[in-house]
Amino acid sequence: VQLARHIDAHGFSLARLAYYTPGAQLPALVLAHQLYGDAAREDEIISRNNVRHPAFVPAGTALEILEVANA
């Protein structure tokens, strides 16, 4: 019960999941820069979505990402 109250009280500050479907096959580095303005977050995209090769993130497949501010 205390955990639920804590999450209700502070959950607003936690990152939320979102989905993004790229329209073209792109490197994870490019997607990270496009989505977050930070190419250093490419590892997050790769690991969260089990991308086989970071240079070839497939188009047309929904990717799980952390919600982008102002999205």
Side-chain angles (χ1 to χ4, degrees):
V1 174
Q2 288 180 337
L3 176 61
R5 287 185 188 145
H6 180 78
I7 290 172
D8 286 342
H10 303 286
F12 63 90
S13 64
L14 299 174
R16 298 197 190 322
L17 289 178
Y19 292 90
Y20 173 76
T21 304
Q25 180 174 287
L26 295 169
L29 182 79
V30 173
L31 282 174
H33 185 266
Q34 287 179 347
L35 292 170
Y36 303 116
D38 182 2
R41 292 181 68 178
E42 78 171 312
D43 288 339
E44 177 183 325
I45 293 172
I46 293 165
S47 63
R48 183 173 295 281
N49 294 284
N50 297 314
V51 173
R52 288 183 181 204
H53 193 288
F56 305 102
V57 178
T61 300
L63 301 173
E64 184 181 272
I65 61 169
L66 294 180
E67 190 172 78
V68 179
N70 300 324

